[in-house]
Amino acid sequence: QSALTQPASVSGSPGQSITISCTGTSSDVGAYYFVSWYQQHPGKAPKLMIYEVSNRPSGVPNRFSGSKSGNTASLTISGLQAEDEADYYCSSYTRSSTLVFGGGTKLTVL
Amino acid sequence: QVQLVESGGDLVKPGGSLRLSCAASGFTFSDYYMTWIRQAPGKGLEWISYISTGGSTLYYADSVKGRFTISRDNAKNSLFLQMNSLRAEDAAVYYCARGNWNDVRLLDYWGQGTLVTVSS
């Protein structure tokens, strides 16, 4: 049950686009289209932003999008806004019927 | 609206036990898989355990297997986590979260968390 690999930090200026990668294995990210992304502001609970690789729950801005290629999933945020500054976590359902998270990425909006 | 409220977090000595609860409201609790996730101070999210709708299917992370037990009471809309043989590394905020009808591929609602401190 090794954690998925995410960059520790990314940054971008308002209006720009950023992409956060999430690399796993053929037993998790590569196995199914069951990758989710969560946003967490300091002191708050995580919030679901993307599920099943590329689907957005109701209320999540369409500036947030997801994709997957092989064992790597990606979250792209376009038109960065100040309120997007947060920690982002990917997760994947696994072939072992367990759940695994990435180590988290701190997004800084410059 | 959907609400999940955790309780039971406390300061406990190494080797001690604690039982966490998660009270659910605003949805048909028995229709959803439920899970526990934890976050150590300054660290990332770690999946701990999940339970199926009827409670017959249980999964645990290796880090807690044999020490933690997840359960639910659908009549009382409640989820539980019995934690035994607690270690310093179990100190974290513990969140309960809602899965879907068949698994935990997505967690669409989370509680605010309850803090567990393990220290002598």
Side-chain angles (χ1 to χ4, degrees):
Chain A
Q1 296 176 353
S2 299
L4 306 176
T5 300
Q6 297 181 233
S9 62
V10 297
S11 62
S13 300
Q16 288 187 331
S17 294
I18 63 95
T19 296
I20 299 172
S21 61
C22 170
T23 300
T25 69
S26 57
S27 294
D28 38 62
V29 174
Y32 309 111
Y33 277 77
F34 297 160
V35 175
S36 298
W37 289 91
Y38 300 88
Q39 176 192 67
Q40 187 181 34
H41 287 109
K44 300 294 187 181
K47 174 187 176 183
L48 179 66
M49 304 300 285
I50 295 288
Y51 66 96
E52 293 175 357
V53 174
S54 59
N55 296 302
R56 278 178 290 105
S58 173
V60 172
N62 59 11
R63 303 184 292 103
F64 291 83
S65 62
S67 63
K68 189 186 82 146
S69 177
N71 297 336
T72 298
S74 298
L75 172 71
T76 297
I77 308 173
S78 58
L80 267 180
Q81 298 183 5
E83 60 260 36
D84 298 334
E85 184 162 295
D87 293 326
Y88 290 84
Y89 295 90
C90 62
S91 76
S92 176
Y93 196 63
T94 79
R95 287 191 185 277
S96 302
S97 300
T98 59
L99 195 62
V100 61
F101 282 94
T105 298
K106 182 177 180 60
L107 169 62
T108 301
V109 180
L110 302 169
Chain B
Q1 72 281 21
V2 172
Q3 271 200 308
L4 298 170
V5 180
E6 303 92 338
S7 62
D10 204 348
L11 169 62
V12 60
K13 289 181 169 55
S17 297
L18 209 55
R19 189 190 196 212
L20 305 184
S21 300
C22 171
S25 61
F27 66 102
T28 304
F29 181 70
S30 57
D31 283 350
Y32 291 84
Y33 276 54
M34 296 295 295
T35 186
W36 287 99
I37 310 292
R38 71 184 179 185
Q39 186 170 35
K43 301 297 185 182
L45 301 174
E46 180 187 11
W47 169 74
I48 293 302
S49 179
Y50 75 78
I51 185 169
S52 60
T53 53
S56 60
T57 299
L58 314 174
Y59 279 90
Y60 298 94
D62 288 344
S63 58
V64 304
K65 200 173 293 183
R67 299 187 300 123
F68 290 12
T69 302
I70 191 172
S71 62
R72 66 190 295 162
D73 184 338
N74 286 341
K76 295 183 178 179
N77 295 334
S78 294
L79 175 72
F80 306 101
L81 185 68
Q82 177 66 43
M83 304 188 295
N84 297 331
S85 303
L86 282 162
R87 306 166 180 166
E89 55 264 36
D90 294 320
V93 173
Y94 284 72
Y95 296 100
C96 66
R98 189 180 84 167
N100 68 10
W101 65 276
N102 197 42
D103 53 46
V104 291
R105 70 182 71 173
L106 62 90
L107 305 175
D108 60 354
Y109 287 93
W110 297 60
Q112 284 305 302
T114 187
L115 178 63
V116 173
T117 303
V118 183
S119 175
S120 53

